[in-house]
C-alpha cells in the first residue's frame, strides 16, 4: 500500500508541476509577473496559510462554474478560502473548455 501511495503522489506531483509550468507559459507573454508554488495538504488551509505567511493583500481564486454536487465539492475550496483568508479573496469564473 505504501508503494502505491508513493507512486500516486509522484504522479500527482508531476501532473501538478506540468500544469503550473503550462499556466506560467500562457501568462508569460502578458507582461505579468507570476510565481508558482506547489504545496501538499488541505487546499483551503494551505492557500490561506501561504497567503498569510507571504503577506498577500489579495487572493484571486477560480471557480469552474460547475453545478449540482460538483459545485458543492469543487466550489468548497474557493468558498472556504473566501471565509477564512486573512485578506480579501476575489472569485473569478474559469472556463473548462
Amino acid at each position: 500500500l505504501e508503494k502505491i501511495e508513493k507512486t500516486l503522489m509522484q504522479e500527482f506531483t508531476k501532473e501538478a508541476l506540468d500544469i503550473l509550468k503550462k499556466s506560467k507559459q500562457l501568462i508569460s507573454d502578458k507582461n505579468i509577473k507570476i510565481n508558482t508554488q506547489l504545496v501538499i495538504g488541505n487546499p483551503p488551509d494551505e492557500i490561506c496559510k501561504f497567503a498569510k505567511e507571504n503577506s498577500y493583500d489579495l487572493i484571486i481564486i477560480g471557480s469552474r462554474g460547475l453545478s449540482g454536487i460538483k459545485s458543492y465539492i469543487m466550489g468548497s475550496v474557493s468558498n472556504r478560502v473566501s471565509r477564512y483568508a486573512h485578506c480579501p479573496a476575489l472569485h473569478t469564473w474559469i472556463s473548462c473548455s
Side-chain angles (χ1 to χ4, degrees):
L1 192 58
E2 283 182 35
K3 186 176 180 179
I4 293 171
E5 183 178 330
K6 183 178 179 181
T7 301
L8 284 173
M9 281 304 293
Q10 289 172 339
E11 288 298 315
F12 289 147
T13 299
K14 181 184 178 303
E15 185 174 341
L17 291 171
D18 287 344
I19 291 168
L20 289 174
K21 182 179 177 182
K22 288 176 186 174
S23 298
K24 192 171 184 175
Q25 288 172 342
L26 285 171
I27 296 173
S28 66
D29 66 341
K30 306 282 191 249
N31 198 25
I32 298 171
K33 181 182 174 187
I34 181 170
N35 295 313
T36 59
Q37 181 75 34
L38 177 61
V39 180
I40 307 296
N42 180 293
D45 294 343
E46 295 299 329
I47 292 167
C48 292
K49 179 181 166 187
F50 188 83
K52 187 172 186 176
E53 288 174 352
N54 291 280
S55 303
Y56 283 22
D57 296 323
L58 175 67
I59 298 171
I60 301 174
I61 190 161
S63 177
R64 297 188 336 173
L66 302 173
S67 61
I69 191 70
K70 287 182 180 179
S71 173
Y72 176 75
I73 293 169
M74 299 303 287
S76 64
V77 172
S78 58
N79 289 335
R80 280 187 269 163
V81 168
S82 293
R83 276 188 250 137
Y84 299 113
H86 79 286
C87 63
L90 173 65
H91 284 247
T92 183
W93 184 77
I94 298 172
S95 174
C96 296
S97 54

